[in-house]
Amino acid sequence: SSWWSHVEMGPPDPILGVTEAYKRDTNSKKMNLGVGAYRDDNGKPYVLNCVRKAEAMIASKKMDKEYLPIGGLADFTRASAELALGENSEAFKSGRYVTVQGISGTGSLRIGANFLQRFFKASRDVYLPKPSWGNHTPIFRDAGMQLQAYRYYDPKTCSLDFSGAMDDISKIPEKSIILLHACAHNPTGVDPRQEQWKELAATVKKRNLLVYFDMAYQGFASGDINRDAWAVRYFIEQGINIVLSQSFAKNMGLYGERAGAFTVICSDADEAKRVESQLKILIRPMYSNPPVNGARIASMILNTPDLRKEWLTEVKGMADRIISMRTQLVSNLKKEGSSRNWQHITDQIGMFCFTGLKPEQVERLIKEFSVYMTKDGRISVAGVTSGNVGYLAHAIHQVTK
Amino acid sequence: AYRTDEGQPWVLPVVKKVEQMIANDNSLNHEYLPILGLPEFRANASRIALGDDSPAIKEKRVGSVQSLGGTGALRIGAEFLRRWYNGNNNTATPVYVSAPSWENHNSVFMDAGFKDIRTYHYWDAAKRGLDLQGLLNDMEQAPECSIFILHACAHNPTGTDPTPEQWKQIAAVMKRRSLFPFFDSAYQGFASGSLDKDAWAVRYFVSEGFELFCAQSFSKNFGLYNERVGNLTVVGKDADNVQRVLSQMEKIVRTTWSNPPSQGARIVATTLSSPQLFDEWKGNVKTMADRVLLMRSELRSRLEALGTPGTWNHITEQIGMFSFTGLNPKQVEYMVKEKHIYLMASGRINMCGLTTKNLDYVAKSIHEAVTKIQ
């Protein structure tokens, strides 16, 4: 007999399941719109030029492979903080922050979640937008927190339910934790406008909530890194000491290298040092110290003026391609003769789009047209190319007319 | 970390070669690995631990989880055990850690949620060796189903390993009392210079029909410290059990780091799957192990030549990177303050810090410490 007889089979990952089915499909016209990774206009993974250059520079330096400090590569964490906060940020310049390297976005979120579980005694409750990235809930749960929700997406308009959000948030018990997507909300692509962010900031301040920003798409959403970080920076300027998780998976295409960072804005540099010491105590029994490769590449890019400039151009290029695919999809739908309002496709921002398609329609898309997406109607616009956008529009029209 | 005779870090020649191959391969990109890691890495890593001819591998009852170093593998294993071992979410299951052990063992299991972490007798300071009787007694007294963290080879920090005969006794008690073996294998190849020899204990337990976990690190034997290359090998009764275990480990990985870093795993996978590169790697590993063995024998012979009070055979009988010298805290303080030789208060020295240039100085300093300070 086995120790594991009672261990249940874990449910298949909903997003991976999409890719599995896609791989099995033999239809030459098939499209994988579940993929959360950028693809170029040929549908291929894209390794940024600035990444290749950084890799060559790193190789030429012939560095050793000694362990990084527990908190990660200092040049990387400092540059990550500066990227998020802005070089003119008072919080950054005064040093009243701590940034530790994390295992991309997930690892950074988890460090933060564990830190809050251990040190944020006021509440166990983390409020997520409805809907949120599927992995947020299990991350916080495994860290020992409880999940609550606030209204966010309005399925009737395929846009932000701002009054619903404000209503819910204004009723959140004081000193609870609220998670906000900094830009390019996943999975809806629906972001608040700047005026709406200002109201949100005022409300969370009034309710004395701890704000946890998840920024996985800085630069990737609008094409402008400063614009995409606007909400994060505004909140801090309003005196809200946020915590922040960053990922470089998408904006630098460093997916498998796991480059990310977790930041805590503190009252002062002394508090930052104490917080840092506790973060290290959390990290050490998890994986001791972080992987160097992605952090070195990101650091080289951020800290080398020429490479940084090139990166900004390439990020804008990726964002622009996505925006152009959104535009083409809408115009193709019109050409197909669709009379539905598809404006949300171009209003939404970032890699994902909540099409508004119902599960039955999604099923038809998969079965009849080999167009794969998650059941909630979310598509990854990154999987759309100028070569297949017409087919996609045709398929969507067929199931919605 | 390993140091050359010049006291420098060493990037293995085979690693440099493979990194160049990877850099020149334009078909490679930075896409996400699967949640459980790079398939070629996982299979090869477990094969290294269990042996090419492992019956468990043949019977398809081995699973692997690519992890962030040995620490990451320990943590995933610990998190799984806390959720699924000995009932559901049984945080009261005792976890036994050797006295002494790597201090992070305690923290890993504590942070995974275990509430009852105990020590088992291991180091006998008086005789400067393994306290086998104490160890076996602790296993006899341990509640059934307790988890025991065993160092596969090159015990950290004592450098003292059970002999094969002693391992057999340990296994017999563990089987009879239904204790769970969780091996920590951070030095395979690095300890004796032979991969097979250093894996003997793990393989013996597998041959005795145990279900076990083995947390593997490739930090030292590949010198890939900062790339965080590790693997959790799971040996189960049959393929079905292993499959279910892995499906649950996948959920744990997903909320911890989603998927593991690719660079280090690629280097190891490429090396292990090419007969030529594999041989080259074994040579590099032997180079490191041999240098450490040389430093051990040179230090011992100097101490004996100086007539340093006490016996010094433990220096060569111990194995791996560390040695419990037997120096007491006062003697250690003398070494640090007066001689500027840095070692732990426990008397543990890192043998990699010894070089042909400093052997004489270190030997003389130990001699002074032992004769001047009691």
Side-chain angles (χ1 to χ4, degrees):
Chain A
S1 69
S2 167
W3 288 118
W4 318 124
S5 318
H6 67 297
V7 175
E8 296 150 21
M9 191 69 185
D13 189 282
I15 299 181
L16 280 179
V18 169
T19 298
E20 302 289 289
Y22 166 84
K23 281 192 195 148
R24 288 194 295 267
D25 194 322
T26 52
N27 185 345
S28 62
K29 285 193 139 96
K30 65 181 180 178
M31 290 176 69
N32 186 356
L33 301 182
V35 67
Y38 179 80
R39 294 286 177 265
D40 64 17
D41 203 46
N42 294 311
K44 296 275 180 287
Y46 175 60
V47 177
L48 279 63
N49 280 329
C50 62
V51 167
R52 289 199 196 281
K53 285 185 182 159
E55 287 178 303
M57 285 166 67
I58 289 165
S60 71
K61 284 178 193 251
K62 299 195 186 310
M63 289 179 272
D64 64 40
K65 296 202 173 289
E66 296 299 286
Y67 288 124
L68 284 181
I70 299 172
L73 188 65
D75 282 346
F76 167 71
T77 54
R78 193 184 340 106
S80 298
E82 192 204 40
L83 180 68
L85 307 181
E87 58 183 347
N88 294 318
S89 152
E90 164 274 325
F92 179 73
K93 289 197 285 201
S94 69
R96 63 177 185 94
Y97 73 93
V98 53
T99 300
V100 292
Q101 185 180 337
I103 313 298
S104 206
T106 300
S108 304
L109 281 162
R110 180 58 181 270
I111 291 169
N114 280 9
F115 177 75
L116 293 176
Q117 192 278 340
R118 197 172 274 190
F119 292 98
F120 191 71
K121 289 309 180 189
S123 174
R124 298 289 77 174
D125 287 326
V126 179
Y127 283 77
L128 301 180
K130 228 187 306 193
S132 195
W133 182 43
N135 208 18
H136 277 144
T137 294
I139 288 172
F140 282 102
R141 192 167 282 151
D142 279 6
M145 304 300 280
Q146 276 153 214
L147 281 312
Q148 310 291 347
Y150 57 91
R151 275 173 286 169
Y152 190 81
Y153 179 73
D154 184 347
K156 289 197 290 292
T157 59
C158 296
S159 64
L160 179 64
D161 178 4
F162 186 61
S163 57
M166 287 297 285
D167 191 27
D168 285 352
I169 293 172
S170 62
K171 297 190 173 105
I172 293 178
E174 288 200 23
K175 295 194 188 163
S176 304
I177 299 158
I178 182 171
L179 184 130
L180 298 163
H181 296 223
C183 63
H185 181 272
N186 179 2
T188 68
V190 169
D191 287 347
R193 292 191 307 275
Q194 284 186 4
E195 288 317 302
Q196 294 170 323
W197 274 123
K198 287 179 176 173
E199 285 192 57
L200 283 164
T203 304
V204 309
K205 215 174 158 184
K206 203 151 147 211
R207 299 302 300 156
N208 199 9
L209 305 178
L210 188 145
V211 175
Y212 197 150
F213 267 110
D214 182 356
M215 185 155 68
Y217 299 97
Q218 186 183 6
F220 201 95
S222 70
D224 179 335
I225 50 147
N226 292 311
R227 186 148 161 215
D228 289 348
W230 188 86
V232 168
R233 296 173 187 184
Y234 179 79
F235 272 56
I236 297 172
E237 278 162 29
Q238 296 307 303
I240 302 168
N241 286 354
I242 66 163
V243 302
L244 164 75
S245 163
Q246 286 170 276
S247 167
F248 290 90
K250 286 87 176 171
N251 60 12
M252 284 194 182
L254 290 174
Y255 306 92
E257 305 295 341
R258 322 308 294 129
F262 175 67
T263 295
V264 181
I265 304 296
C266 301
S267 315
D268 51 54
D270 178 76
E271 181 177 282
K273 274 266 159 290
R274 286 181 280 117
V275 169
E276 183 183 21
S277 71
Q278 294 298 343
L279 289 172
K280 283 155 68 171
I281 289 171
L282 272 168
I283 291 169
R284 174 86 164 128
M286 231 188 267
Y287 50 83
S288 278
N289 44 76
V292 71
N293 201 41
R296 261 199 195 138
I297 294 169
S299 174
M300 189 67 79
I301 290 170
L302 293 173
N303 292 313
T304 308
D306 283 350
L307 287 184
R308 191 183 177 113
K309 222 166 123 208
E310 191 169 357
W311 173 57
L312 293 175
T313 306
E314 288 190 277
V315 163
K316 187 166 191 316
M318 291 192 286
D320 284 350
R321 193 184 90 69
I322 303 251
I323 290 168
S324 131
M325 287 302 101
R326 290 179 180 276
T327 309
Q328 285 193 41
L329 179 57
V330 172
S331 67
N332 271 278
L333 281 163
K334 286 207 181 91
K335 258 195 284 189
E336 286 284 325
S338 176
S339 54
R340 276 174 67 141
N341 182 355
W342 296 105
Q343 192 185 327
H344 53 283
I345 292 181
T346 40
D347 284 348
Q348 289 167 9
I349 195 167
M351 197 179 283
F352 300 112
C353 168
F354 243 29
T355 55
L357 293 167
K358 301 199 200 57
E360 321 82 74
Q361 295 166 326
V362 171
E363 185 147 358
R364 281 189 65 196
L365 279 174
I366 294 174
K367 288 210 155 67
E368 295 172 34
F369 297 92
S370 298
V371 173
Y372 290 83
M373 63 186 69
T374 45
K375 271 204 293 287
D376 55 9
R378 182 193 86 163
I379 61 170
S380 171
V381 184
V384 182
T385 69
S386 47
N388 62 27
V389 64
Y391 178 71
L392 177 60
H394 174 74
I396 291 177
H397 178 56
Q398 293 308 306
V399 306
T400 56
K401 64 183 182 185
Chain B
Y2 177 78
R3 292 282 177 272
T4 63
D5 198 50
E6 286 77 40
Q8 293 303 311
W10 193 50
V11 178
L12 274 58
V14 73
V15 167
K16 285 187 187 167
K17 187 188 274 191
V18 172
E19 281 187 309
Q20 192 60 56
M21 287 165 61
I22 290 171
N24 295 340
D25 186 347
N26 283 314
S27 74
L28 294 175
N29 52 43
H30 293 291
E31 292 298 290
Y32 289 126
L33 288 181
I35 296 173
L36 295 178
L38 187 67
E40 311 87 88
F41 168 79
R42 296 163 57 208
N44 276 301
S46 291
R47 184 175 60 83
I48 287 294
L50 304 180
D52 288 332
D53 51 359
S54 170
I57 294 179
K58 284 199 181 71
E59 292 156 23
K60 300 202 196 318
R61 51 190 186 87
V62 174
S64 326
V65 180
Q66 182 188 336
S67 310
L68 286 262
T71 305
L74 284 164
R75 182 61 178 264
I76 298 301
E79 292 278 353
F80 175 84
L81 290 173
R82 192 261 296 161
R83 285 165 175 71
W84 295 101
Y85 176 71
N86 196 26
N88 271 54
N89 207 42
N90 190 352
T91 58
T93 301
V95 178
Y96 283 80
V97 176
S98 69
S101 191
W102 183 49
E103 73 285 349
N104 208 18
H105 278 146
N106 249 283
S107 314
V108 170
F109 280 82
M110 209 155 46
D111 280 15
F114 285 100
K115 301 280 180 237
D116 186 358
I117 301 175
R118 312 179 182 185
T119 56
Y120 62 89
H121 284 83
Y122 195 85
W123 172 250
D124 184 333
K127 67 171 209 196
R128 260 180 270 167
L130 177 67
D131 178 5
L132 180 68
Q133 215 35 66
L135 193 166
L136 293 173
N137 278 348
D138 284 341
M139 287 185 168
E140 294 285 1
Q141 303 301 318
E144 287 198 349
C145 310
S146 296
I147 297 162
F148 273 76
I149 303 177
L150 306 167
H151 297 229
C153 67
H155 181 272
N156 177 1
T158 68
T160 299
D161 291 341
T163 63
E165 282 317 302
Q166 293 172 328
W167 274 120
K168 286 179 179 175
Q169 291 182 263
I170 292 167
V173 177
M174 290 187 74
K175 194 186 269 192
R176 190 169 23 87
R177 310 238 47 257
S178 300
L179 307 174
F180 186 85
F182 196 149
F183 279 98
D184 183 352
S185 177
Y187 300 99
Q188 189 185 2
F190 194 97
S192 70
S194 156
L195 292 169
D196 293 327
K197 192 156 171 218
D198 290 345
W200 188 87
V202 177
R203 297 175 188 182
Y204 177 72
F205 271 65
V206 172
S207 72
E208 285 294 297
F210 280 89
E211 291 187 303
L212 56 80
F213 287 176
C214 180
Q216 301 168 259
S217 169
F218 292 91
S219 292
K220 287 89 176 167
N221 60 14
F222 259 90
L224 287 174
Y225 305 93
N226 65 13
E227 304 281 0
R228 315 311 294 126
V229 197
N231 187 54
L232 178 67
T233 287
V234 174
V235 179
K237 271 280 168 340
D238 54 53
D240 182 72
N241 273 295
V242 169
Q243 199 190 12
R244 281 180 281 106
V245 167
L246 249 55
S247 75
Q248 293 297 345
M249 286 185 173
E250 208 176 271
K251 285 176 65 178
I252 295 168
V253 168
R254 184 65 165 136
T255 61
T256 313
W257 55 61
S258 264
N259 44 78
S262 68
Q263 181 71 357
R266 258 189 203 150
I267 294 170
V268 173
T270 304
T271 306
L272 297 182
S273 48
S274 148
Q276 190 186 330
L277 293 171
F278 181 55
D279 280 346
E280 209 177 316
W281 171 59
K282 282 194 285 191
N284 288 172
V285 173
K286 195 160 186 318
T287 297
M288 292 190 287
D290 284 351
R291 194 182 94 67
V292 171
L293 288 167
L294 179 66
M295 290 301 102
R296 285 185 177 277
S297 82
E298 293 285 295
L299 178 62
R300 173 183 169 179
S301 61
R302 274 166 181 70
L303 291 170
E304 287 171 351
L306 287 167
T308 308
T311 54
W312 300 100
N313 46 300
H314 58 282
I315 302 276
T316 48
E317 280 160 21
Q318 287 166 7
I319 195 166
M321 200 181 277
F322 302 114
S323 176
F324 252 24
T325 53
L327 294 175
N328 64 40
K330 285 211 180 74
Q331 292 165 336
V332 170
E333 198 179 342
Y334 177 85
M335 295 283 284
V336 174
K337 288 216 161 81
E338 305 299 325
K339 313 303 294 186
H340 310 292
I341 295 172
Y342 293 86
L343 62 160
M344 306 290 283
S346 59
R348 183 194 89 168
I349 60 172
N350 182 344
M351 300 304 298
C352 297
L354 287 175
T355 68
T356 47
K357 288 197 184 66
N358 66 25
L359 269 167
D360 286 335
Y361 179 70
V362 173
K364 275 204 207 92
S365 304
I366 292 177
H367 182 83
E368 279 179 31
V370 171
T371 49
K372 286 186 180 170
I373 320 258
Q374 263 72 55

